[in-house]
Amino acid sequence: MKKLLLSLTILSALFVGCSTDDDEGTVQPVEGELTGSITTNQTYAFGNYTLNGIVTIENGVTVTFDAGSTITANAANGVDAIVVKNGGKLIMNGTAAQPIVLTEPSATPGSWGGIIMYGDAPINGAGGVTTKTSEDGLNLTYGGTNPAHNGGTLRYVRVEYAGKKITDGTSEMNGFSFYSVGTGTTLDHLVSYKGADDGFEFYGGTVSATNLISYGNYDDSFDWQDGWKGQNNSNWYAYQVGTGNFGMEIEASNNNNAFWPVITNITLVRAAGTVTEGGSSAAEYDAIQFKKQGNGDFTNIVISGYTTANSTAVRIQDAATNTDQVNGNKIKLTTVKINDGTSTFAGAGSLSVAFPTGQYTTSDSATGANISPGIWATVNGTTLVP
């Protein structure tokens, strides 16, 4: 432990400063390594950093990265991830022209664990439990009584090739994982690019997120459970290509909650030829799936590409969700535009679904997500938003 702390102290001294090119007068990136537990406040200057293992930001510690920095994981050295523990803060304030990029050189989906943040905002897990153990292989407890929890700021951050599956595949990481994160946290202009699990997953909590791009992720573009109830979400864009399951998988851990998340301006697109993780082009293929009492209020939605037989824009997966959430007016989808022959909505199997008046409306004037392109949303010359 003494050796680790000494190493971190030396590295921190190297990272805080930055070099200047005397001839050009421009700031040159520093080089460094991130490893182990970070136990004191740190500011990492604009630079290129390698990620070695699971790096944890401990309770009471604030870690800041300058705009334009790159953090590179390495699939060959085991499980890599950046983990913000409850009480810690991660500040990544990139810009549209200088995003903070976290990547892996093999460009293989599932190479590392992405960004994982823990808080103590409320959850409502299966059976009504208020605390749970994480499913990321770290076995950390999440859930609490602080809806205003602040885990820091992630702005103009891109995570590439994450979604690590651990050991037997029962423990999984995503591009971004938010465990009981609260409203004090800022999530804005984030990209999850070609991961092997979900692009973004919320495990309870109250945090909201704006200007999200989930591009080419193998499982679901957006996923939540445990009673997540962010109220100020907007501009969510998903593009499924190659491999992908649901555009949005929505569940509430079998709790018939009296609350729900609110999201405006959503675009869900599935490229031709995209198949599910199991290789099928039909199973787990809907744009939006509600199950296990999942609910929400969604408006200004554009859906394209969900045209294979048995797929639909919106699917209600089970009878309890249909009875309590659809018929109980706890699912609302308004100003929905469905392109290219995708069917409107359906129930799983023989389940008959009929939304109450005003709870599901369509409109050709829907525009979906409105996200400005730029370097932050460009990978290998490809612009991720239309």
Side-chain angles (χ1 to χ4, degrees):
M1 178 60 72
K2 290 182 179 179
K3 183 177 179 181
L4 173 60
L5 292 175
L6 178 62
S7 175
L8 286 170
T9 301
I10 294 171
L11 287 171
S12 297
L14 291 173
F15 293 162
V16 170
C18 56
S19 59
T20 301
D21 188 315
D22 292 333
D23 295 328
E24 301 294 334
T26 57
V27 176
Q28 300 299 309
V30 300
E31 305 287 331
E33 181 184 55
L34 306 172
T35 188
S37 298
I38 302 178
T39 57
T40 59
N41 294 344
Q42 304 290 343
T43 295
Y44 293 100
F46 164 61
N48 299 315
Y49 300 97
T50 58
L51 183 63
N52 187 359
I54 295 176
V55 172
T56 59
I57 299 172
E58 299 295 327
N59 180 21
V61 175
T62 298
V63 172
T64 302
F65 286 88
D66 284 353
S69 294
T70 299
I71 300 170
T72 303
N74 186 345
N77 68 10
V79 180
D80 293 338
I82 292 181
V83 178
V84 186
K85 290 187 177 180
N86 181 29
K89 292 182 181 179
L90 175 60
I91 310 296
M92 288 184 164
N93 262 321
T95 68
Q98 290 187 299
I100 295 173
V101 178
L102 300 93
T103 190
E104 203 280 334
S106 72
T108 302
S111 293
W112 68 293
I115 295 177
I116 305 170
M117 183 178 289
Y118 287 87
D120 57 354
I123 72 166
N124 195 14
V129 300
T130 56
T131 61
K132 289 182 63 177
T133 301
S134 64
E135 64 177 36
D136 52 13
L138 302 177
N139 296 318
L140 296 177
T141 300
Y142 65 99
T145 58
N146 176 24
H149 158 263
N150 183 353
T153 296
L154 303 181
R155 182 180 284 117
Y156 289 105
V157 176
R158 186 168 73 241
V159 169
E160 302 175 349
Y161 315 116
K164 182 81 171 180
K165 298 182 187 298
I166 305 172
T167 60
D168 61 356
T170 58
S171 297
E172 299 176 343
M173 298 173 171
N174 306 292
F176 292 86
S177 303
F178 300 111
Y179 286 92
S180 56
V181 174
T183 57
T185 309
T186 297
L187 306 176
D188 180 54
H189 285 91
L190 307 180
V191 177
S192 182
Y193 180 82
K194 292 192 175 181
D197 206 82
D198 299 326
F200 298 86
E201 185 156 7
F202 299 86
Y203 301 83
T206 55
V207 70
S208 295
T210 53
N211 301 298
L212 303 186
I213 299 173
S214 181
Y215 191 103
N217 292 291
Y218 279 9
D219 194 357
D220 310 313
S221 298
F222 303 104
D223 190 357
W224 63 84
Q225 57 182 288
D226 295 334
W228 173 63
K229 53 182 175 182
Q231 296 294 293
N232 297 294
N233 305 278
S234 66
N235 289 326
W236 286 20
Y237 177 83
Y239 186 79
Q240 296 181 298
V241 59
T243 301
N245 293 337
F246 298 109
M248 298 172 70
E249 186 176 41
I250 300 169
E251 65 166 281
S253 305
N254 284 318
N255 293 306
N256 183 10
N257 296 315
F259 56 81
W260 47 81
V262 178
I263 310 173
T264 62
N265 307 337
I266 303 166
T267 297
L268 305 173
V269 180
R270 190 176 181 90
T274 301
V275 298
T276 67
E277 287 182 292
S280 167
S281 61
E284 295 188 314
Y285 180 55
D286 306 308
I288 305 174
Q289 184 207 54
F290 292 91
K291 66 179 182 180
K292 298 181 179 179
Q293 302 285 6
N295 58 17
D297 185 339
F298 314 93
T299 189
N300 190 24
I301 308 162
V302 174
I303 295 171
S304 304
Y306 294 81
T307 56
T308 296
N310 300 319
S311 68
T312 187
V314 178
R315 187 177 303 278
I316 308 303
Q317 190 64 25
D318 56 81
T321 300
N322 190 43
T323 298
D324 296 331
Q325 307 306 318
V326 176
N327 298 338
N329 293 311
K330 294 181 179 181
I331 296 176
K332 188 174 185 178
L333 302 111
T334 55
T335 316
V336 181
K337 181 180 180 181
I338 302 172
N339 295 320
D340 53 33
T342 299
S343 63
T344 304
F345 56 81
S350 60
L351 183 64
S352 178
V353 176
F355 279 86
T357 301
Q359 294 298 107
Y360 189 108
T361 66
T362 59
S363 173
D364 288 338
S365 65
T367 57
N370 180 17
I371 300 178
S372 299
I375 293 172
W376 77 282
T378 303
V379 180
N380 299 326
T382 298
T383 299
L384 306 184
V385 290

